[in-house]
Amino acid sequence: MMVAHGVNLTKQRRIIADVLFERNQHVTADQLFDLVKQTGSRVSKATVYNTLGLFARKGLVREIFIDASRTFYDSNNSHHHHFYNVDTGDLIDIKDRLAAHFIEQDLPEGTSMDVVDLVVRVRNIKS
Amino acid sequence: MMVAHGVNLTKQRRIIADVLFERNQHVTADQLFDLVKQTGSRVSKATVYNTLGLFARKGLVREIFIDASRTFYDSNNSHHHHFYNVDTGDLIDIKDRLAAHFIEQDLPEGTSMDVVDLVVRVRNIKS
DNA sequence: GCTGTTGCTTAGAATAGTTCTAAAAATAAT
DNA sequence: ATTATTTTTAGAACTATTCTAAGCAACAGC
Ligand SMILES: [Mn+2]
Ligand SMILES: [Mn+2]
Ligand SMILES: [Zn+2]
Ligand SMILES: [Zn+2]
């Protein structure tokens, strides 16, 4: 899978990928560093940052920017969106259905909608 | 307008608001600090940060998180979204029409779509 | 075996946007 | 006028992330 995306499979990247892709999750670099530590393996924090950056560039994970203070990485790289609870910090998947009223019907229990932020990322067409 | 939103109108906030709301724009705190300086007025950087935070809490501006390294503030607080060009850094408004194929038709000249990131911010219903 | 080359990992330093602190200044209340 | 409250300010502190430069692993050609 990683080799298919043009990523050299090193020992550390293997360890990181095992923990990261074990399940669909949203983690910061620091959280992932701790998760790796909990398995007993030792990988430096710099390598966790480097590897997440590499995985993101290669399309293996998605970066999520919901607040300026930290970047989340989403091990589920299929096309989907998120509910973010500003009170609890919960980050919950929304399946890819864009209609606004549809989203409203699916709000997490006990929450009300605040703001819908949509960013369409584009790139210059290489000439 | 600001008084209506429960913001005390001080001299510095007035200066900042004049520059910020002069037109629809997307600025970082630092950019706004420079814009204020260019008018000849003197407001500290701390006050620019404090004021933007206050305006955001009061709903006068919208925070936009498109990359982890800086927060943009949108002087257009009407409900809309954005095209972000990852190559140029351009941030362009999208009128509030959510259909995905509609967005594709409106891509900025010379760009191709990369990723659509949608974050629905919710809050706990106060009980 | 060695030897060079390349890519990867690492600890710690540096960076930079943002927040915090504590004191002065402005404003409001009594 | 005196006191209380709010705001501004400079600079220090904070913190997520990136950078640096040295060491290490993998590999190829001898
Ligand atoms: Mn997810
Ligand atoms: Mn705008
Ligand atoms: Zn997700
Ligand atoms: Zn906008």
Side-chain angles (χ1 to χ4, degrees):
Chain A
M1 167 226 212
M2 299 192 342
V3 184
H5 281 79
V7 172
N8 276 3
L9 195 51
T10 67
K11 189 158 40 154
Q12 288 86 352
R13 287 172 187 172
R14 181 72 203 275
I15 293 168
I16 290 171
D18 281 351
V19 174
L20 177 57
F21 296 115
E22 188 179 41
R23 57 193 183 81
N24 283 350
Q25 58 186 329
H26 311 112
V27 291
T28 64
D30 211 61
Q31 288 168 351
L32 185 54
F33 174 72
D34 285 341
L35 288 175
V36 166
K37 201 165 9 181
Q38 282 169 33
T39 70
S41 305
R42 161 76 200 164
V43 177
S44 75
K45 189 169 282 193
T47 297
V48 174
Y49 272 96
N50 288 342
T51 302
L52 283 172
L54 176 69
F55 285 4
R57 267 195 320 282
K58 298 297 187 176
L60 289 161
V61 298
R62 282 268 303 279
E63 291 176 312
I64 306 175
F65 305 110
I66 35 164
D67 89 66
S69 69
R70 59 233 182 106
T71 298
F72 282 93
Y73 291 88
D74 195 335
S75 64
N76 175 4
N77 70 350
S78 75
H79 190 246
H80 68 281
H81 308 290
H82 299 92
F83 287 122
Y84 176 66
N85 188 318
V86 296
D87 291 322
T88 64
D90 284 354
L91 195 53
I92 303 170
D93 284 346
I94 306 173
K95 295 202 172 42
D96 182 21
R97 301 163 305 190
L98 272 181
H101 67 278
F102 220 27
I103 288 168
E104 292 212 34
Q105 287 175 354
D106 271 3
L107 286 183
E109 285 266 330
T111 69
S112 66
M113 190 179 300
D114 182 7
V115 172
V116 177
D117 275 320
L118 171 67
V119 177
V120 179
R121 254 160 261 259
V122 302
R123 340 188 127 265
N124 283 338
I125 294 168
K126 296 175 194 75
S127 54
Chain B
M1 167 226 213
M2 299 192 345
V3 185
H5 282 78
V7 173
N8 277 3
L9 195 51
T10 67
K11 190 158 35 157
Q12 287 83 353
R13 287 172 188 171
R14 181 74 203 275
I15 292 169
I16 290 171
D18 280 351
V19 174
L20 178 56
F21 296 115
E22 189 180 42
R23 58 194 182 82
N24 283 351
Q25 59 185 330
H26 310 112
V27 290
T28 65
D30 212 61
Q31 287 168 351
L32 184 55
F33 174 72
D34 285 341
L35 287 175
V36 166
K37 201 169 2 185
Q38 283 169 33
T39 70
S41 303
R42 160 76 199 165
V43 177
S44 75
K45 188 171 281 191
T47 295
V48 173
Y49 272 96
N50 289 342
T51 302
L52 283 172
L54 176 69
F55 285 3
R57 270 196 316 286
K58 299 297 187 178
L60 289 161
V61 298
R62 284 267 303 280
E63 291 176 313
I64 306 175
F65 306 111
I66 34 163
D67 90 68
S69 69
R70 59 233 183 104
T71 299
F72 282 92
Y73 292 87
D74 194 335
S75 65
N76 174 5
N77 69 349
S78 75
H79 190 246
H80 68 281
H81 309 288
H82 298 92
F83 287 121
Y84 176 66
N85 188 320
V86 297
D87 291 321
T88 63
D90 283 355
L91 195 53
I92 303 170
D93 285 345
I94 305 174
K95 295 202 171 44
D96 182 22
R97 302 162 304 189
L98 272 181
H101 66 279
F102 220 27
I103 288 168
E104 291 212 34
Q105 288 176 355
D106 272 2
L107 288 183
E109 286 265 329
T111 69
S112 65
M113 189 177 301
D114 181 8
V115 173
V116 176
D117 275 320
L118 170 68
V119 177
V120 179
R121 255 160 259 259
V122 303
R123 341 189 124 264
N124 283 338
I125 294 168
K126 295 176 196 72
S127 54

